Amino acid sequence: MNVLVINCGSSSLKYQLIESTTEDVLASGLCERITIDGAFTYKRPGKEKIQFEAPMPDHTAAIKVVLNQLTDTETGVIKSMDEIGAVGHRIVHGGEKFASSVILTDEVVKAIEDCCELAPLHNPANLVGINACKELMPNVPMVGVFDTAFHQTMPEKAYLYGLPYEYYTKYGVRRYGFHGTSHSYVSKRAAEVLGRDVNDMKIIVCHLGNGSSVCAVDHGKSVDTSMGFTPLEGLIMGTRSGDIDPAIIEYVAQKENLSLSEMMNVLNKKSGVLGLSQVSSDFRDLDDARDAGNAQAALTLDIFRYHVAKYVGAYAAAMGGVDAIVFTAGLGENDALTREGVCSYLGFMGVEFDAEANNFRGEERVISKPESKVKVLCIPTNEELMIARDTVALLK
Ligand code: ADP
């Protein structure tokens, strides 16, 4: 069956068409600047990338462009829309309602709407994508795969904050965690690569990208993760502050004469490695700046690696040990220096890092020495494949 995987943001839409038996990606790409003007990218394995501008006044128009391209007589990969057996949607927030992927019935869509309050920037965009697909492909079954679902196995001691308990019971204030589809895929794949059963392992996954999170996966289940009520908590990220003393918010707001929402904007968009380095939110720019002698960029990179290592230490304690540490996402997959920098803190727990094996980008590899007590791996994440697998499994 061909599964169309859709990841819908407020002005962008990523898509992949995956043949579920072979798990081959038939085509993939991106619609950007939706509601503004519209830019389209289309890729097929082994073929030249196609890019053009097309008006995309809304997400329905964007999905129309995708479907037209997929079925194009010359450059398409399927003959007609009938060859799309199902659509899998990435959905950011499932609250406490969804601990696994689900078929998108009207009732489920309503429940996702109820979660909008918890993810005002993301869930409404995901819903727009669902409704657009429903309009264009009314008879194709759809499945929702939630970023938060994998973390629903966290125990209360991991997900409750030290706040008045009624904020949890009245408003759902708790740790939810994100990147769950990635943490789930990467931990399973790491166990496979090591020839072991994920249900028999303690794994720490470091998903390091523009947004970053660490997850403790104990016997295949998420037991703790660094993102919290929102994706703002945890590691220092591209532009997000990660963990700070909450008292700073009032203090700086008063000094700088900022409102609460202006302060939240600073924490989400102007902090993290961008704010610290004053250079960029992109680690490639920071690497270049450090190489050019920028001490602030070098310090920022140090701080980032130190924070990742601290979370790894904390999660090893949370699980009473660790068998494997896995790096994934833009930075985890591509930046050898970050992997090495994080591991330089972890010798005490039995990590024997293999600097030679680490010299690569974007491959599945073991980067610890064979005798290392704790294995270290790089596993490229594949959230789309995970979504396609869940979609097919649910429809069977
Ligand atoms: P997102 O959270 O937006 O999905 P990604 O997982 O794609 O982000 O990660 C994007 C980030 O990965 C970039 O901002 C960049 O900092 C980092 N990155 C990608 N390639 C490299 C590289 N070769 N070296 C260093 N950093 C890289």
Side-chain angles (χ1 to χ4, degrees):
M1 184 205 293
N2 294 326
V3 180
L4 180 61
V5 176
I6 298 277
N7 180 354
C8 206
S10 56
S11 70
S12 71
L13 183 156
K14 290 186 200 151
Y15 65 91
Q16 273 196 13
L17 189 67
I18 297 176
E19 204 294 302
S20 64
T21 316
T22 57
E23 299 195 333
D24 286 337
V25 178
L26 305 181
S28 64
L30 177 66
C31 300
E32 288 170 288
R33 302 176 58 83
I34 304 170
T35 70
I36 305 164
D37 39 26
F40 183 71
T41 309
Y42 175 70
K43 291 190 275 189
R44 290 160 297 163
K47 302 257 168 66
E48 204 152 301
K49 183 160 83 179
I50 295 176
Q51 275 176 306
F52 55 85
E53 283 171 18
M56 297 176 190
D58 55 29
H59 288 73
T60 308
I63 293 174
K64 263 187 203 157
V65 176
V66 174
L67 294 174
N68 282 343
Q69 182 60 60
L70 292 172
T71 54
D72 185 85
T73 44
E74 270 177 35
T75 52
V77 288
I78 51 176
K79 287 201 188 71
S80 80
M81 261 161 59
D82 298 343
E83 290 179 38
I84 298 174
V87 183
H89 290 270
R90 177 200 178 204
I91 299 163
V92 169
H93 218 307
E96 287 188 327
K97 292 197 173 102
F98 301 105
S100 58
S101 304
V102 282
I103 295 180
L104 291 173
T105 59
D106 290 346
E107 205 183 352
V108 167
V109 172
K110 170 78 188 54
I112 297 169
E113 279 166 13
D114 293 343
C115 295
C116 279
E117 218 180 23
L118 295 170
L121 296 179
H122 296 104
N123 272 35
N126 301 157
L127 282 161
V128 167
I130 292 171
N131 289 328
C133 286
K134 230 173 158 180
E135 191 185 325
L136 297 169
M137 299 176 268
N139 299 319
V140 179
M142 298 201 285
V143 165
V145 180
F146 301 87
D147 266 23
T148 48
F150 182 60
H151 302 300
Q152 279 295 303
T153 47
M154 281 190 289
E156 280 175 310
K157 65 181 176 188
Y159 73 68
L160 285 176
Y161 290 113
L163 288 169
Y165 188 67
E166 69 260 27
Y167 295 169
Y168 167 59
T169 52
K170 284 203 294 199
Y171 310 124
V173 174
R174 52 159 285 177
R175 176 182 309 286
Y176 289 100
F178 299 87
H179 293 142
T181 311
S182 175
H183 288 301
S184 168
Y185 172 82
V186 167
S187 52
K188 284 193 187 85
R189 190 66 206 133
E192 278 168 20
V193 167
L194 293 171
R196 294 186 56 181
D197 183 351
V198 73
N199 297 317
D200 204 21
M201 290 185 78
K202 297 171 199 272
I203 299 175
I204 297 172
V205 180
C206 305
H207 178 114
L208 310 179
N210 199 20
S212 297
S213 70
V214 185
C215 182
V217 185
D218 197 353
H219 294 76
K221 293 194 167 79
S222 168
V223 292
D224 210 338
T225 191
S226 60
M227 282 179 168
F229 178 62
T230 71
L232 181 56
E233 195 187 349
L235 297 173
I236 287 176
M237 306 180 214
T239 61
R240 288 174 236 163
S241 65
D243 303 329
I244 60 162
D245 180 343
I248 295 167
I249 298 174
E250 187 190 26
Y251 183 78
V252 174
Q254 279 176 359
K255 294 273 179 209
E256 297 266 320
N257 198 20
L258 295 174
S259 69
L260 209 49
S261 67
E262 285 167 334
M263 265 318 286
M264 292 314 293
N265 191 48
V266 171
L267 296 182
N268 273 299
K269 305 250 171 78
K270 297 183 181 165
S271 301
V273 298
L274 169 69
L276 259 176
S277 69
Q278 313 270 306
V279 172
S280 169
S281 64
D282 194 305
F283 284 77
R284 287 163 287 202
D285 299 335
L286 292 183
D287 283 339
D288 291 346
R290 180 211 42 220
D291 293 347
N294 183 325
Q296 193 68 11
L299 174 64
T300 301
L301 289 165
D302 258 3
I303 294 173
F304 178 79
R305 292 162 192 170
Y306 173 68
H307 277 234
V308 178
K310 280 210 298 187
Y311 265 104
V312 172
Y315 289 166
M319 293 192 288
V322 55
D323 300 305
I325 297 163
V326 194
F327 290 94
T328 193
L331 191 58
E333 291 166 26
N334 295 306
D335 190 0
L337 288 175
T338 290
R339 293 190 296 253
E340 184 169 358
V342 172
C343 289
S344 70
Y345 290 96
L346 305 176
F348 80 94
M349 61 163 66
V351 168
E352 290 188 55
F353 191 71
D354 186 341
E356 251 170 67
N358 182 45
N359 193 13
F360 69 95
R361 286 182 49 189
E363 289 169 33
E364 269 185 2
R365 272 214 208 170
V366 178
I367 51 176
S368 50
K369 292 192 175 145
E371 61 273 23
S372 185
K373 186 171 141 260
V374 177
K375 306 295 176 204
V376 185
L377 299 91
C378 173
I379 303 282
T381 193
N382 197 337
E383 287 156 289
E384 291 78 11
L385 178 58
M386 205 55 197
I387 293 172
R389 282 181 184 168
D390 272 14
T391 301
V392 173
L394 272 169
L395 294 175
K396 264 190 183 152

